[in-house]
Amino acid sequence: MKKIILSAALLCSLGINAQNMQLRKLIPAENILIGATVNQWLVAADLGLTEHQIKDPSYKLVGSRDQMKIEMSVVPTEFNCVTAENCMKSEVISPKKGIYDFVLADQFIEYAKKHNLAVIAHAPIWHSQCAKWICHNEDGSLVSKEQLKENMRNYIYTVYGHFRGKVKGYDVANECIEDNGSYRNSDFYKIMGEEYIDWAFKCAQEADPEAELYYNDYSMAKPGKRATVVKVVQRLKSKGIRIDAVGLQTHIGMDFPDFKEYENSIKTFIEAGVDVQLTETDMSILPNPYTGADVATRFQYSPEKDPYKNGITKAQLKPWQDRYKQLFDIVNKYSKNVKRVTFWGITDASSWKNDFPIPGRTDYPLPFDREGKFKF
């Protein structure tokens, strides 16, 4: 398979960081963007903004300014693509109908521009962290089908229009399908059925014809989910609606998914006529009672499920390294069509996996440890 190699000069001309990233040792094809999610507090610190934004009590590492400095130094040297962790979700951008607050999102764009990082916008249409007004009337009841279409169109046109020319691509629709292949019974689905996905993509391609458009979901190695995603891709294409890539979130563990099924999904999506992206990659080293990524799912803490609270040895880390390399071997095999690998977080210290699905654990799911050192 011929690899597409982009020169450092061309990458810079496209506004993309061309640093000699250590992850290139494992993912050498330079046409594959390597990214991370970045939160608003790191952005505020990097841009020298006000103290209160850095000390927000919801920030996991409050009081650990040294950790923030580590992560601030890692992003520009190790990644060339960033996804906003929260500030581009609809509940943040538009908390009330007719009100749009782009302050945090614009700061994120400024941060990405400062470091020549491509921007991925996540996630305009998602059942979780969704602006209430999109699907609900003021009395809490669901809006009509026509009202939902109007609300989605207004939101997408306003947001995509605001960021036109600044965003490489959007996770247009996120987590719409269950593992068994049925559609998630979200408020969007209750009102419009599967048509809401088509409408979101139609509005997106009209609002920003130059931006790439993605469908994004977790547990994508599940045969039922894979089959339905393919049907979505085929349905969109049959209607003349553009979809550029399917995003595999790739929140994985030491015993899931089966990489044969994972590779089968990549092959199947490519054969359906779209590229593939690993959009939220991390691999927990801890025993897990749950293989999905539904943010509402939680289990009770117990010490036996937190075996590395005081640190991890090289010998204990090696099976994790080997399994990650198996994942990257699949990425490299399909490098012509795998266009991005984004990790959900920067270092182990700020990974959501320390709290999901069991709060309070110490996990090691990312390629960079708590000191910002490369783990391979």
Side-chain angles (χ1 to χ4, degrees):
M1 182 178 290
K2 185 177 179 181
K3 293 180 179 178
I4 301 172
I5 305 297
L6 303 180
S7 69
L10 178 56
L11 286 168
C12 286
S13 72
L14 294 172
I16 298 173
N17 189 337
Q19 292 286 348
N20 185 23
M21 299 171 290
Q22 295 181 82
L23 276 160
R24 283 283 180 239
K25 299 172 186 175
L26 303 173
I27 308 171
E30 292 187 11
N31 64 292
I32 300 177
L33 293 174
I34 299 179
T37 53
V38 173
N39 64 46
Q40 65 208 56
W41 302 277
L42 186 144
V43 168
D46 188 90
L47 295 178
L49 301 177
T50 57
E51 282 278 314
H52 78 275
Q53 290 175 287
I54 302 170
K55 293 182 178 179
D56 189 300
S58 65
Y59 183 48
K60 298 174 188 175
L61 297 178
V62 62
S64 180
R65 294 179 64 83
D66 288 342
Q67 183 63 48
M68 185 177 288
K69 289 178 181 177
I70 288 171
E71 300 203 349
M72 285 169 59
S73 68
V74 169
V75 176
T77 58
E78 302 295 347
F79 302 103
N80 56 18
C81 176
V82 286
T83 300
E85 189 173 36
N86 282 297
C87 70
M88 286 185 157
K89 292 170 181 172
S90 63
E91 69 174 3
V92 177
I93 286 181
S94 186
K96 293 184 178 181
K97 188 171 185 177
I99 296 175
Y100 290 87
D101 182 352
F102 292 109
V103 172
L104 294 177
D106 285 345
Q107 290 171 3
F108 179 79
I109 296 291
E110 182 182 352
Y111 167 83
K113 184 177 181 181
K114 173 183 174 181
H115 296 295
N116 294 319
L117 302 165
V119 173
I120 306 299
H122 174 85
I125 300 300
W126 184 29
H127 67 276
S128 182
Q129 294 182 263
C130 179
K132 189 174 181 180
W133 65 268
I134 296 177
C135 292
H136 294 87
N137 294 305
E138 289 187 3
D139 63 2
S141 62
L142 294 176
V143 300
S144 67
K145 178 178 177 179
E146 290 308 311
Q147 186 63 58
L148 177 58
K149 291 181 73 172
E150 181 181 338
N151 289 351
M152 288 174 63
R153 185 180 187 276
N154 288 344
Y155 180 82
I156 290 172
Y157 268 61
T158 301
V159 173
Y160 285 48
H162 181 85
F163 294 118
R164 187 177 297 171
K166 301 174 183 177
V167 167
K168 178 176 176 60
Y170 288 86
D171 293 332
V172 176
N174 192 50
E175 300 177 3
C176 306
I177 299 165
E178 301 284 7
D179 288 0
N180 63 6
S182 63
Y183 286 91
R184 181 184 294 277
N185 194 32
S186 65
D187 290 337
F188 290 101
Y189 186 77
K190 290 173 183 175
I191 300 168
M192 284 185 66
E194 62 196 58
E195 183 187 345
Y196 85 90
I197 302 172
D198 306 19
W199 182 247
F201 275 89
K202 184 177 187 298
C203 292
Q205 74 174 11
E206 292 172 355
D208 189 348
E210 301 302 318
E212 295 177 357
L213 309 179
Y214 321 131
Y215 175 75
N216 189 51
D217 215 326
Y218 59 80
S219 298
M220 293 287 260
K222 300 282 187 180
K225 180 168 285 192
R226 174 172 63 230
T228 302
V229 172
V230 169
K231 290 178 182 177
V232 169
V233 170
Q234 293 171 337
R235 187 175 72 240
L236 290 172
K237 287 179 172 290
S238 72
K239 294 181 176 181
I241 300 172
R242 180 164 56 86
I243 176 172
D244 298 294
V246 167
L248 290 71
Q249 289 188 12
T250 315
H251 296 296
I252 63 177
M254 297 299 294
D255 56 357
F256 69 91
D258 179 338
F259 277 159
K260 290 182 180 179
E261 290 292 345
Y262 185 90
E263 181 178 355
N264 193 18
S265 290
I266 289 178
K267 287 172 58 180
T268 302
F269 297 145
I270 292 171
E271 289 168 358
V274 290
D275 288 326
V276 170
Q277 304 185 356
L278 282 63
T279 57
E280 304 180 20
T281 311
D282 49 33
M283 184 167 67
S284 175
I285 199 171
L286 301 177
N288 272 312
Y290 177 61
T291 62
D294 188 327
V295 294
T297 304
R298 290 291 187 275
F299 297 87
Q300 188 172 355
Y301 179 91
S302 60
E304 66 271 15
K305 294 176 182 176
D306 192 16
Y308 307 121
K309 194 166 190 67
N310 298 317
I312 191 166
T313 67
K314 290 183 179 179
Q316 291 167 333
L317 188 63
K318 189 170 188 310
W320 177 92
Q321 294 171 323
D322 292 343
R323 184 162 167 78
Y324 245 129
K325 288 175 182 177
Q326 292 172 20
L327 174 65
F328 296 146
D329 284 345
I330 297 172
V331 169
N332 294 330
K333 182 177 179 180
Y334 298 95
S335 60
K336 181 180 178 182
N337 293 100
V338 177
K339 297 299 178 68
R340 174 168 61 97
V341 177
T342 289
F343 296 90
W344 200 257
I346 301 165
T347 73
D348 289 338
S350 60
S351 171
W352 76 306
K353 296 300 291 181
N354 292 300
D355 290 306
F356 181 88
I358 301 174
R361 299 197 298 175
T362 303
D363 208 343
Y364 305 81
L366 296 170
F368 295 93
D369 68 15
R370 284 164 169 76
E371 287 74 44
K373 295 178 182 177
F374 191 51
K375 290 160 60 178
F376 292 88

